[in-house]
């Protein structure tokens, strides 16, 4: 009887150690640029973000949002982009780089940049065991004619 209790205790201790190891090895940071990103009005831009260490993000949730966590610019969940959840203003203009999720690239591609796109973006990544986010600021510039005049919107 004493032997059964010891075996059970040993198994439980090994289980806890294993779960601690799994949780520890799944920790990551979301790395964004250290400076603002600039884009020209009407062009496409990539807001760079990646996992460090480079883990596969294919089975993670990747949520790009502005002010409201529950109104995403783009939501990748359950191995697919969820367009029904995104803000209407971004419908058809956002994407990830699916082939690069394996290497931890969670960058957002934004097409046909508008003045209203300027400002702070948050890239939130959740592995179910760990979550992190990075903040990226997009500045939208409009050039007047062919002159050197540049207007910046944030």
């Amino acid at each position: 009887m004493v032997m059964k209790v010891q075996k059970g205790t040993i198994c439980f201790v090994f289980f806890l150690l294993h779960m601690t190891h799994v949780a520890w090895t799944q920790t990551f940071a979301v790395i964004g640029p250290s400076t603002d990103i600039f884009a020209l009005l009407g062009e496409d831009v990539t807001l760079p973000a990646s996992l460090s260490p480079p883990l596969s993000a294919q089975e993670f949730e990747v949520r790009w949002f502005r002010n409201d966590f529950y109104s995403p610019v783009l939501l990748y969940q359950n191995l697919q982009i969820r367009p029904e959840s995104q803000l209407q203003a971004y419908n058809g203009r956002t994407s990830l780089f699916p082939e690069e999720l394996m290497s931890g690239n969670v960058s957002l591609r934004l097409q046909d940049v508008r003045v209203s796109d300027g400002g702070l973006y948050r890239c939130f990544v959740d592995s179910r065991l760990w979550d992190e986010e990075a903040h990226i600021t997009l500045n939208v510039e409009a050039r007047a004619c062919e002159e050197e005049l540049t207007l910046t919107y944030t």
Side-chain angles (χ1 to χ4, degrees):
M1 183 90 161
V2 173
M3 187 62 123
K4 286 184 182 179
V5 171
Q6 288 177 344
K7 284 184 181 178
T9 303
I10 290 171
C11 287
F12 182 71
V13 169
F14 280 126
F15 174 76
L16 285 178
L17 288 173
H18 172 72
M19 292 309 293
T20 303
H21 174 73
V22 168
W24 177 253
T25 59
Q26 287 294 313
T27 62
F28 56 86
V30 181
I31 307 298
S34 57
T35 60
D36 293 357
I37 300 296
F38 290 86
L40 290 175
L41 188 63
E43 295 196 346
D44 299 348
V45 67
T46 298
L47 302 182
S50 60
L51 302 183
S52 178
L55 300 171
S56 173
Q58 281 186 315
E59 297 195 21
F60 293 177
E61 176 182 303
V62 178
R63 180 183 299 259
W64 281 89
F65 66 101
R66 308 262 332 248
N67 301 319
D68 183 359
F69 182 85
Y70 297 103
S71 297
V73 169
L74 179 137
L75 175 60
Y76 174 85
Q77 191 177 51
N78 300 323
L79 303 172
Q80 60 185 340
I81 291 177
R82 310 297 300 237
E84 69 277 5
S85 299
Q86 78 181 148
L87 286 171
Q88 189 65 31
Y90 293 92
N91 192 16
R93 299 192 307 124
T94 59
S95 61
L96 296 176
F97 297 88
E99 66 283 354
E100 296 183 28
L101 286 171
M102 280 287 280
S103 61
N105 183 350
V106 291
S107 299
L108 177 73
R109 184 75 174 155
L110 178 58
Q111 298 173 322
D112 189 24
V113 171
R114 303 172 183 171
V115 171
S116 59
D117 293 334
L120 180 65
Y121 288 78
R122 294 174 174 93
C123 176
F124 174 83
V125 180
D126 184 0
S127 72
R128 294 188 188 99
L129 295 173
W130 187 260
D131 61 70
E132 285 288 332
E133 74 177 54
H135 297 184
I136 295 133
T137 299
L138 174 64
N139 294 301
V140 178
E141 296 180 342
R143 295 193 190 259
C145 301
E146 295 296 318
E147 300 173 15
E148 291 298 316
L149 175 63
T150 302
L151 305 173
T152 302
Y153 304 93
T154 58

